[in-house]
Each structure stands twice: as C-alpha cells, then as structure tokens.
Amino acid sequence: MRGVLTRDAATWPVRRDRALANPVLRANVKNVTRRLAGARQRAYADYATGRAMRTEARDAKRRAIHQMDGMVQELCARLAANGVSAVVADGPAEVAEHITRIAQRRGARRVVKSKSMMTEELDLNRRLGAVGLSVRETDLGEYIIQLLGERPSHLLAPAAHRNRQEVWEVFQHTADAAGVTGPTSSDVGPLTAFARARLREDFLAADLGITGANFLVAETGTVVLVTNEGNADMVVSLPPVHVVVAGLDKVVGTWDDLAALIQQPALSGVGQRLSAYTTLISGPRQPGELEGPEELHVILVDNGRRAVQAGPYADVLTCIRCGACYNVCPVYRQVGGHAYGSTYAGPIGAVSTPLLAGLTFLPELPRSLCTLCNACVEACPMDIALPDHFISLRREAAEAGMETAATRLTYRAWGRMWSSPRRYQRFVAWARRGQPLMMRGGKLVRSPGLWRGWFATRDMPPIAPETFHEWWARRRAP
Amino acid sequence: MKRALVEEFRARWEGLGGHYWEAAGPSALPQVLAAASDALVDRSAGTTPSVLLWPGHGFAASAWAPAWTGPAWERAAVEWQAGSLYLNGRPAEEGAIRALAARAALGVTGSAWAVADTGSVALYRGPGGGLWPSLLPPAHLMVVRASQVVANVAEGLGLLRGESETPAPSAGAASPPSRMPRMVKIISGPSSTADIEGQLWIGVHGPARVGVVLVG
Ligand code: SF4
C-alpha cells in the first residue's frame, strides 16, 4: 500500500526560488551543514572502533529490513509480554484515531511531544489538533518552528533556517500572548532560558506524551531514544501515558544489533560518540515504582514501507535519519529542507519520498534535486546506494512516460548525435556555425531549447575555430 | 587495568563538560559529596538550595545524607525499605517526590555502570531508584563505583541484559515478561542544544551541570 505524505502546494520552481531568495536561510543552512559534516568526519577519523561498528550496524539494519515482518511479529509479542500495547497502523488516519481513542479513554487533553520525523510524516499535530488535543513540541528547534507555524528544515536542526533575531521576535510574541516576561535579549542564553521555563510548565501539566523511536529491539521489546536536549526524557517520564509512534523500519533484531547501532546516530549526525541522553524503555511502571508512565503504547506505522521493502529500493529503509547525507549534498546546502516540499529532504528525502508515496508524488525530487556527485553515498553510515537509486528512479520515470515530449525528443536526438564520433563531429561543426548568435563578450551565454536554463547562471567558452579532432586530422593528412 | 579504565572514563567525561571527583572509600563519600554539591549548585539566588537524594542501585540514602546537614541545605531523601519507598522516613507519594524534584537545586543518584570509551553513566529506574533527580533539577550528581566502570557501551549493555535474563518459557506458556529495568538512561554530559544558529548551549531542558563522584 502506498503511503500518504504531506506536500507543499507550491511547485518546485517556486519552492526553489523562494529558498534561493532567502539570505538568512542560506547562511544558516550553510553554517549548520558545514559544522555537522566536519564534526562527523573528525569523530570517525580518530575512532577505529566507531568505524568497525559502523559496518556491523549496517549489516544489522539490512538484516532487520530483510526480515521485517518476522521482526515486527517478534517485537509485538515481546512488547505484549512486557505489558505494552502494540499495534501496526497503515497510515496517518489510523495512527491519529488510535491516539485519539487512548486520549479519550484517559481523559487526556494536553500532549507533549519530542522530535519525531515519523509524526511529521503523518502530519500528526494537525490531526490531533483537529480532535481537540493541544500538542506541544518540546525540542527547542521544533518549539520555535511550531510557534512560527512552519515545518522542520533539517533532520537534526529543524530551525536551521531561522536566526536568533527571528527567534527572539516569536518568543516575545509568545510571551505577550501568555502574559509573561519575554527573553531579556536575543542572545542564545536568554532565549534558551525562556524556552526552558515555558516548556517546563508544559511537561509538568501534560497528561500524554508522544515520542518516536530511533530503534525498537525485537528480542527484548525495548524502545530506544537518542537525544541531546533531554526533552524526550521529560516526555517519557512525566505524563501518565506514553505513546511511541515509529516506522516499521525502526525494528532491529537483537540486543547485539542494538550494541552495534547505538552510537551511529550520534557519530554520523553530530560527531559525538554518544548523544547526551540515550534512553531504553522496556515497559510501563512496575508495582512498587513511583515514576514512569502507567501505560505504554507502541504504534508501528507502515505508510508505504512494506511496499518499499518488497522492491528493489529496500535499502532506503535502513536509514537511521542521521542527516549526514543532507550535510554533504550540494543541492541541500543551497536550498535547505523546505524546497524539497515534503517531510524528508536531502538525498534520502529526494529518493524515499516518491518511493513511499508513489512515483508521481513530487516527481521532480529524483529528477531535479541531485547532481550525481556521489557525496551522499560516501557520507552515509548505512551505505545506502543513493546515487544508483537516483538513476533508476529517473529511468523508471522515463519508461513510465512521465517526461514531457520536448524532454524525450531532445534527449533522444542528443543521444543519437553524441553516440558516434562522426555524428559528434558533425554536431560540433554545425553548432559552431550557429554559435555567434548565442555569444556575448567572447563567451557562450545563451542556448535554445532545454539548455536555456543551464545558461541562466552560467556561461561557457565557445567552440574553438579548430577543435582538437580537426587539428589532428589536418596534421595526419598526407 | 581498572585504573586505566577509570582514567579513560574521567578524561572522556570531563571532555563532555562533566565534573569529576573521587572518594577513597565509602567512609570518605559524604565529605566528597558535600564538596561536589557546593561546586555544582548555584547559590546566587540567595535562598537555601534543596537537594533530592534518591540513590537506588543498591546504595543507601542514609549513608550519604550527612553530606547535606546543617542550615546550608534543605534535604529530602527517598529510600527503599522492606518493599516500599520512603520519603524522609515516611511512606512516599508520587506527587510529593515529583514536586520536590521539580524545585530541587540538585538531584543525587547512584548509577548502574559507566563507560570509559564514551564517558557515559547508566542509570536504571527500578523499585529502588528513580530518574527524576537526573532530569528536573539544574544540577545532577552521580555516584559511580570504580568497579562499575566498563570499557565500552556493548559491555554495559551486556551487563544490563545479563541482569534481566528472563527464565525460559515453560512449555505451552506465553513468553514471560522481561525483567529488564523498565527505563534505563545513559547520560553522556549535560543537556545540550545547538538549535539556535548552531551555537552550542547547555542546560536546555535537563541539568546544565552534571558531576560524578567515583568511589574506590
Ligand atoms: S540516508 Fe544515510 S546519511 Fe542520509 S540520513 Fe539516512 S543514514 Fe544518514
């Protein structure tokens, strides 16, 4: 079954130009990606154990995806034995209904959440808001963009497109609306202190907590969360009910698999050996305990994953959402996350979005947002064959007739002309005759047809009066 | 061998921004805890800081309590005795502990194990111990036994798994519940964020100041 994803109503050229015209976004995205990419490289460089663990981790994830159904069954049985309710949901509507039922039974209204891409994918906040639940995002970056009414633009730094002045403004606004004093300045310290105080009240008042999961261990029925801020720990240990919403792809087999994987999100994501908080949850509060949720629910979400698992692109499901591929991608570094138009950005987003939701969903992603530079596959700790997938997705789109007639004809003609030396030389001679019309200041600055866009921001030297081939032929002539 | 692990742990933990002290043995512990607490707690507010003591992990609150006597501290201790929890000697209630945790200047806990390779400390939530003291106060102090320092995360996870080995299901019975502690928290440094302009800032939700007292 196909997944249901959210999408920006704007077309790709609009989204792209919006991003390129936003200097704050571009400066911040550049800084964040450069910092995280550098941190990752340094973290692995002096850590042979981490590099060895990475291959083990990759193999563990591949095994898990390969045997997904069996692992999910084992996990559900384990969870049930641990006193955890576990269900598999098809998509966004089922997840929202399930949580609504839990909330109604418990009389819960105030929900706190820690950052979860899965719930972003499901557009869960909007759906829960529609049934009267008030949902508070508690990761600092997510809190900022929730107040701004926006969506995350980076896996690990959701507000990477905003600067402190903008954060100060929205916090002031929030403070005024709540009748409290706002942050004393736009420095990071006062801004963080303001968020801490506001969110602390939300944590203590909440009656339901929602988190995602980095891993779910089938063998033991354990939910693993990796964070640096500690907000997830608040969400899982203060409200009386905790609901975990995680993709089917987050299940791993054994405790040993977890040991191999547990450091990878931090190493590849932020360049730390382990995040500040790694939390392992294996059930609700036990008799005699005074802390921890009374109820623990796990909702495993398909939303297109089973169909991907059955096909040739199954390895995209081994993604651990570390963001390493975003940080090295020349396209992402220019346009940031919103330009991709849905939940997942960067190379993995451009590949997995159409795979989850169908090839006609945002078809420009594999077509236009990749230069095939290969940086992503070198950065990916799971060795996901992203560039290969871009090429096959483009081929699939072409075979399915999704390209315009102009594109098809142009490429066919181009392919014919350049695939034989004779035809290529004829093409060059012919183009040289036409090029004076396309030149300015001794450079080629224009082109007809599909290449026009290429010249919008570039020029190139004209074809030489005598090419190497021609010179060679002249020299060898008797 | 153990000493080398302890040194490695210390270097990593301090590298992450954690504070570190050592106590030669259990009898020296209260004195070191007192000094560590003074260093971790910000007294600029002028009020008497409160400390919430909930050791768990086989430690006894009463053995540590002398560290926070006198007018300088307001002390609350949670202890596990004969199958139930007591708060300052009276049967404990959830709401009372939670309120204390929410306003404490310092939380103090034991720990299950610590990892040299990553500079991390693991805490279990179990009948004897809670995690709120590690979560809500602005400062958190942990006691680690030198014998609990392991080389790497895998070894620590192995200990956790070993403690929770479940009995094999008897024929025909459904799989028995795991005895794994229901929540385990592996702490590697203070609560931190880089969400505003990528600038690192500590103490966003959890403690900004974290300390370890290693007891030999
Ligand atoms: S595709 Fe690889 S590099 Fe990109 S987020 Fe996923 S695991 Fe990280």
Short mmCIF file of all heavy atoms in Angstrom, two decimals, chain A residues 2 16 23 59 65 104 113 135 145 152 168 180 206 228 231 248 267 271 274 304 335 343 354 356 376 455 478:
data_model
loop_
_atom_site.label_atom_id
_atom_site.label_comp_id
_atom_site.label_asym_id
_atom_site.label_seq_id
_atom_site.Cartn_x
_atom_site.Cartn_y
_atom_site.Cartn_z
N ARG A 2 0.41 2.24 -0.75
CA ARG A 2 1.14 3.48 -0.84
C ARG A 2 0.99 4.31 0.43
O ARG A 2 -0.04 4.29 1.07
CB ARG A 2 0.57 4.29 -1.99
CG ARG A 2 1.61 4.43 -3.04
CD ARG A 2 1.13 5.16 -4.22
NE ARG A 2 1.69 4.44 -5.37
CZ ARG A 2 1.29 4.64 -6.60
NH1 ARG A 2 0.33 5.48 -6.86
NH2 ARG A 2 1.86 3.97 -7.57
N ARG A 16 12.01 26.45 -4.99
CA ARG A 16 13.44 26.67 -5.20
C ARG A 16 13.78 28.17 -5.14
O ARG A 16 14.68 28.58 -4.41
CB ARG A 16 13.83 26.12 -6.58
CG ARG A 16 15.26 26.36 -7.00
CD ARG A 16 15.42 26.15 -8.49
NE ARG A 16 14.62 27.12 -9.25
CZ ARG A 16 14.20 26.92 -10.50
NH1 ARG A 16 14.49 25.83 -11.14
NH2 ARG A 16 13.49 27.85 -11.12
N PRO A 23 18.21 35.06 2.22
CA PRO A 23 19.62 35.06 2.65
C PRO A 23 19.82 34.46 4.05
O PRO A 23 20.86 33.83 4.29
CB PRO A 23 20.01 36.54 2.63
CG PRO A 23 18.72 37.29 2.68
CD PRO A 23 17.68 36.41 2.04
N ASP A 59 25.05 -3.92 8.65
CA ASP A 59 24.58 -5.29 8.40
C ASP A 59 23.37 -5.62 9.28
O ASP A 59 22.44 -6.29 8.83
CB ASP A 59 25.71 -6.29 8.64
CG ASP A 59 26.85 -6.10 7.64
OD1 ASP A 59 26.61 -5.42 6.62
OD2 ASP A 59 27.95 -6.62 7.88
N ILE A 65 15.69 -5.15 7.91
CA ILE A 65 14.76 -4.77 6.84
C ILE A 65 14.40 -6.01 6.01
O ILE A 65 13.25 -6.21 5.63
CB ILE A 65 15.39 -3.67 5.95
CG1 ILE A 65 15.58 -2.38 6.76
CG2 ILE A 65 14.54 -3.42 4.71
CD1 ILE A 65 14.33 -1.84 7.40
N GLN A 104 -8.96 9.82 24.74
CA GLN A 104 -10.34 9.93 25.24
C GLN A 104 -10.56 9.02 26.44
O GLN A 104 -11.16 9.43 27.43
CB GLN A 104 -11.33 9.61 24.13
CG GLN A 104 -11.59 10.82 23.24
CD GLN A 104 -12.29 10.48 21.95
OE1 GLN A 104 -12.50 9.29 21.63
NE2 GLN A 104 -12.64 11.50 21.18
N LYS A 113 5.35 16.44 23.10
CA LYS A 113 5.99 15.58 22.11
C LYS A 113 7.48 15.86 22.06
O LYS A 113 7.90 16.99 22.24
CB LYS A 113 5.44 15.94 20.72
CG LYS A 113 4.32 15.04 20.26
CD LYS A 113 3.99 15.36 18.83
CE LYS A 113 5.05 14.83 17.90
NZ LYS A 113 5.18 15.62 16.69
N VAL A 135 -1.21 20.03 21.34
CA VAL A 135 0.07 19.34 21.22
C VAL A 135 1.21 20.34 21.29
O VAL A 135 1.23 21.32 20.54
CB VAL A 135 0.15 18.57 19.87
CG1 VAL A 135 1.47 17.82 19.78
CG2 VAL A 135 -1.02 17.62 19.71
N ILE A 145 9.78 26.36 15.55
CA ILE A 145 9.05 26.34 14.28
C ILE A 145 7.56 26.08 14.51
O ILE A 145 6.74 26.51 13.72
CB ILE A 145 9.65 25.36 13.25
CG1 ILE A 145 9.66 23.95 13.78
CG2 ILE A 145 11.02 25.79 12.81
CD1 ILE A 145 10.03 22.98 12.70
N PRO A 152 9.96 21.51 9.96
CA PRO A 152 11.41 21.41 10.12
C PRO A 152 12.13 21.45 8.77
O PRO A 152 11.61 20.96 7.77
CB PRO A 152 11.61 20.06 10.79
CG PRO A 152 10.33 19.33 10.66
CD PRO A 152 9.25 20.33 10.48
N TRP A 168 13.90 35.52 18.67
CA TRP A 168 13.56 36.47 19.72
C TRP A 168 12.17 37.06 19.47
O TRP A 168 11.34 37.17 20.36
CB TRP A 168 14.62 37.57 19.80
CG TRP A 168 14.48 38.44 21.00
CD1 TRP A 168 13.99 38.06 22.23
CD2 TRP A 168 14.81 39.82 21.11
NE1 TRP A 168 14.02 39.12 23.09
CE2 TRP A 168 14.52 40.22 22.43
CE3 TRP A 168 15.34 40.77 20.22
CZ2 TRP A 168 14.73 41.52 22.89
CZ3 TRP A 168 15.56 42.06 20.69
CH2 TRP A 168 15.26 42.43 22.00
N VAL A 180 3.46 36.79 30.13
CA VAL A 180 4.67 36.59 30.93
C VAL A 180 5.80 37.44 30.34
O VAL A 180 5.66 37.99 29.25
CB VAL A 180 5.10 35.10 30.97
CG1 VAL A 180 4.03 34.24 31.61
CG2 VAL A 180 5.42 34.59 29.57
N ALA A 206 1.37 18.01 31.42
CA ALA A 206 0.92 17.14 30.33
C ALA A 206 0.28 15.86 30.84
O ALA A 206 0.66 15.33 31.88
CB ALA A 206 2.11 16.78 29.44
N ASN A 228 19.86 14.92 22.58
CA ASN A 228 20.86 15.72 23.29
C ASN A 228 20.25 16.67 24.30
O ASN A 228 20.89 17.08 25.24
CB ASN A 228 21.70 16.52 22.29
CG ASN A 228 22.95 15.76 21.88
OD1 ASN A 228 23.49 14.99 22.66
ND2 ASN A 228 23.39 15.97 20.67
N ASN A 231 14.71 16.50 26.35
CA ASN A 231 13.25 16.69 26.35
C ASN A 231 12.51 15.36 26.22
O ASN A 231 11.45 15.17 26.82
CB ASN A 231 12.82 17.66 25.24
CG ASN A 231 13.25 17.21 23.87
OD1 ASN A 231 14.36 16.71 23.69
ND2 ASN A 231 12.38 17.35 22.90
N LEU A 248 7.85 0.99 10.68
CA LEU A 248 8.21 -0.43 10.71
C LEU A 248 9.71 -0.63 10.50
O LEU A 248 10.28 -1.62 10.93
CB LEU A 248 7.46 -1.18 9.59
CG LEU A 248 5.94 -1.31 9.74
CD1 LEU A 248 5.35 -1.87 8.45
CD2 LEU A 248 5.61 -2.21 10.91
N LEU A 267 27.34 9.58 16.11
CA LEU A 267 28.59 9.70 15.36
C LEU A 267 28.36 10.35 14.00
O LEU A 267 29.05 11.29 13.63
CB LEU A 267 29.21 8.31 15.16
CG LEU A 267 30.04 7.74 16.31
CD1 LEU A 267 30.33 6.26 16.06
CD2 LEU A 267 31.34 8.51 16.49
N GLY A 271 28.63 14.02 15.33
CA GLY A 271 30.04 13.81 15.61
C GLY A 271 30.36 13.57 17.07
O GLY A 271 31.47 13.85 17.51
N LEU A 274 28.38 9.40 21.64
CA LEU A 274 27.05 9.02 22.10
C LEU A 274 26.33 10.34 22.38
O LEU A 274 26.96 11.32 22.77
CB LEU A 274 27.17 8.19 23.38
CG LEU A 274 26.05 7.20 23.72
CD1 LEU A 274 25.78 6.23 22.58
CD2 LEU A 274 26.41 6.41 24.98
N GLY A 304 3.48 3.01 3.56
CA GLY A 304 4.25 2.81 2.33
C GLY A 304 5.51 1.98 2.49
O GLY A 304 6.15 1.62 1.50
N VAL A 335 19.61 24.98 -1.04
CA VAL A 335 18.18 25.30 -0.93
C VAL A 335 17.57 24.94 0.42
O VAL A 335 16.47 25.39 0.73
CB VAL A 335 17.35 24.62 -2.05
CG1 VAL A 335 17.76 25.16 -3.41
CG2 VAL A 335 17.47 23.10 -2.01
N THR A 343 8.26 15.95 3.96
CA THR A 343 8.90 15.79 5.26
C THR A 343 10.40 15.55 5.17
O THR A 343 11.17 16.11 5.94
CB THR A 343 8.26 14.59 6.00
OG1 THR A 343 6.86 14.81 6.02
CG2 THR A 343 8.78 14.48 7.41
N PRO A 354 9.23 9.85 -3.15
CA PRO A 354 8.42 9.20 -4.19
C PRO A 354 8.29 7.69 -3.99
O PRO A 354 7.30 7.10 -4.43
CB PRO A 354 9.16 9.52 -5.49
CG PRO A 354 10.50 10.01 -5.11
CD PRO A 354 10.43 10.51 -3.71
N LEU A 356 7.87 6.17 -1.08
CA LEU A 356 6.81 5.95 -0.09
C LEU A 356 5.45 6.32 -0.64
O LEU A 356 4.46 5.63 -0.40
CB LEU A 356 7.09 6.78 1.18
CG LEU A 356 8.24 6.31 2.08
CD1 LEU A 356 8.50 7.34 3.17
CD2 LEU A 356 7.91 4.96 2.71
N CYS A 376 26.80 11.85 -1.08
CA CYS A 376 25.91 11.26 -0.08
C CYS A 376 26.29 9.82 0.24
O CYS A 376 26.32 9.42 1.41
CB CYS A 376 24.45 11.34 -0.53
SG CYS A 376 24.16 10.69 -2.19
N PHE A 455 22.10 28.09 -18.83
CA PHE A 455 22.84 29.33 -19.04
C PHE A 455 22.31 30.48 -18.20
O PHE A 455 22.88 31.57 -18.22
CB PHE A 455 22.81 29.72 -20.53
CG PHE A 455 23.75 28.90 -21.38
CD1 PHE A 455 23.30 27.80 -22.09
CD2 PHE A 455 25.10 29.23 -21.44
CE1 PHE A 455 24.18 27.05 -22.86
CE2 PHE A 455 25.98 28.48 -22.21
CZ PHE A 455 25.52 27.39 -22.92
N PRO A 478 48.03 13.53 -45.43
CA PRO A 478 49.27 13.47 -46.21
C PRO A 478 49.51 14.80 -46.95
O PRO A 478 48.60 15.56 -47.17
CB PRO A 478 49.06 12.33 -47.19
CG PRO A 478 47.59 12.07 -47.21
CD PRO A 478 46.99 12.63 -45.95
#
